Amino acid sequence: MTTDPAWRPAVVDPGGTGAPATPDGLREYLRETDLAELLTRERAVVFRGFGISPDTYDRAAGDLLPHRLAYVHGNSPRTKVGRNVYTSTEYPPAYEISMHNEMSYSHTWPARILFHCERAPDTGGATPVVDGVLWLESLDPEVRAAFAPGVRYTQNLHDGMGFGKSWQQTFETEDRAGAEAFLEGAAADWEWRPDGSLRVTQLRQATLKHPVTGAEVWFNQADQWHPAGLGEDAAMLADLLPEEELPQNVVFADGSPIPADYITHVQETGMRLAVDVDWQAGDLLLVDNVAVAHGRRAYTGPRRILVAMSD
């Protein structure tokens, strides 16, 4: 399947729907809409102009997400601010975040992601999105072939002090047995280290077929786990620590290293093909997390984007 390089997220607003410019207007529109069909067709949808606020976001999320999920085993720094509602990320605003499908490194991942702009930044701060079929088709054939057997992710999760996230933050529990129970169902290998840290290894896919359309998409986060894709600070850390002790790392499925130029190619291709969703306060962005990858542009000024996920 070849996708349209001019693809952009659909925009649903009161002017186009005839619904009132209120949260109840959005609810009225959704009652009369096959949301699953809309999202499969459009891949990403911006709901704009319905006056969604912090007080009404939770109800809107309930309408748009069939079963809200906790961010268990997530590797991005976030703060939980509501009923399975989180800040979108807490990476410093001066840095871009490359394209990725949420939790594509895990054994399960959310089918839908809902972003809400509570406060737009002064400059920048768009959420770029890219069609996963286009991303895959645009990669060098040599790179696609090398990734075809899959990738192997490794996390070193500290016990409360160290680089990266702790295992307690990652699994939202203070109980070792709780973390182990999650990992037992995740087709992951793990071991507790003498210092109390937890090492987790997962063999995962590099591409995936969409469960409804059957389209094959690029679906992994190798470039966000490899030092070559994480900027100067990660490169310095990689010089200081043995590979097996890095907070996170990725290799090919057979254990061989992924060349840095492959990682750069994947990352730059995704960012080049992405289209920006420029935020207005009150916006909602609903994303099919298999069909579309997302990221973040650098920004200035206060910016508050909330995120919730569902199966």
Side-chain angles (χ1 to χ4, degrees):
M1 174 182 176
T2 302
T3 195
D4 178 5
W7 170 83
R8 297 189 67 84
V11 177
V12 173
D13 58 23
T17 63
T22 64
D24 285 339
L26 175 59
R27 172 165 270 195
E28 176 183 314
Y29 167 79
L30 292 173
R31 278 198 301 264
E32 300 173 356
T33 301
D34 185 334
L35 184 61
E37 189 277 334
L38 173 68
L39 188 58
T40 297
R41 183 179 73 245
E42 301 294 349
R43 288 158 277 180
V45 182
V46 177
F47 298 94
R48 174 167 288 161
F50 291 100
I52 302 300
S53 67
D55 292 336
T56 57
Y57 170 70
D58 189 75
R59 192 177 75 169
D63 292 337
L64 290 162
L65 301 178
H67 178 217
R68 224 178 297 178
L69 302 173
Y71 188 59
V72 177
H73 204 190
N75 72 328
S76 178
R78 304 180 190 271
T79 299
K80 193 170 186 176
V81 296
R83 183 170 63 89
N84 290 344
V85 177
Y86 302 82
T87 55
S88 61
T89 186
E90 292 170 7
Y91 282 117
Y95 298 102
E96 287 193 330
I97 297 175
S98 63
M99 309 310 297
H100 61 286
N101 303 83
E102 200 66 47
M103 297 183 70
S104 59
Y105 55 83
S106 187
H107 72 301
T108 58
W109 43 81
R112 299 178 183 179
I113 305 174
L114 179 66
F115 299 93
H116 167 55
C117 179
E118 187 174 302
R119 181 167 183 173
D122 293 341
T123 65
T127 292
V129 289
V130 64
D131 184 285
V133 175
L134 179 62
W135 192 3
L136 174 62
E137 291 178 346
S138 301
L139 295 175
D140 188 284
E142 177 183 319
V143 173
R144 294 202 306 267
F147 274 90
V151 294
R152 188 181 300 275
Y153 301 99
T154 298
Q155 289 173 289
N156 287 298
L157 303 168
H158 61 77
D159 191 30
M161 184 173 295
F163 296 109
K165 294 180 72 174
S166 70
W167 64 264
Q168 295 94 333
Q169 292 171 313
T170 299
F171 297 104
E172 294 191 359
T173 182
E174 298 290 327
D175 181 20
R176 282 192 176 198
E180 291 175 358
F182 178 90
L183 291 168
E184 284 176 358
D189 296 320
W190 79 92
E191 61 174 321
W192 293 102
R193 309 289 288 169
D195 62 358
S197 64
L198 176 64
R199 178 173 293 168
V200 180
T201 303
Q202 306 173 85
L203 179 61
R204 303 295 184 220
Q205 74 293 314
T207 67
L208 189 70
K209 290 190 175 180
H210 192 280
V212 177
T213 67
E216 187 176 14
V217 299
W218 186 250
F219 197 79
N220 68 81
Q221 284 173 249
D223 69 289
Q224 293 193 334
W225 288 59
H226 194 290
L230 293 173
E232 293 181 1
D233 290 346
M236 291 175 59
L237 188 61
D239 288 338
L240 295 172
L241 294 176
E243 181 179 296
E244 64 272 13
E245 299 298 333
L246 290 171
Q248 59 185 39
N249 195 35
V250 63
V251 295
F252 285 128
D254 63 2
S256 60
I258 301 175
D261 61 329
Y262 283 15
I263 294 296
T264 302
H265 172 64
V266 167
Q267 197 168 72
E268 290 181 349
T269 300
M271 295 301 278
R272 173 174 55 82
L273 297 171
V275 294
D276 287 351
V277 175
D278 293 307
W279 290 110
Q280 298 178 21
D283 282 354
L284 297 171
L285 168 63
L286 183 64
V287 170
D288 180 324
N289 186 47
V290 174
V292 170
H294 64 277
R296 190 198 71 186
R297 302 295 186 187
Y299 66 93
T300 64
R303 175 188 189 267
R304 185 170 171 86
I305 307 294
L306 303 182
V307 63
M309 306 166 228
S310 78
D311 53 14

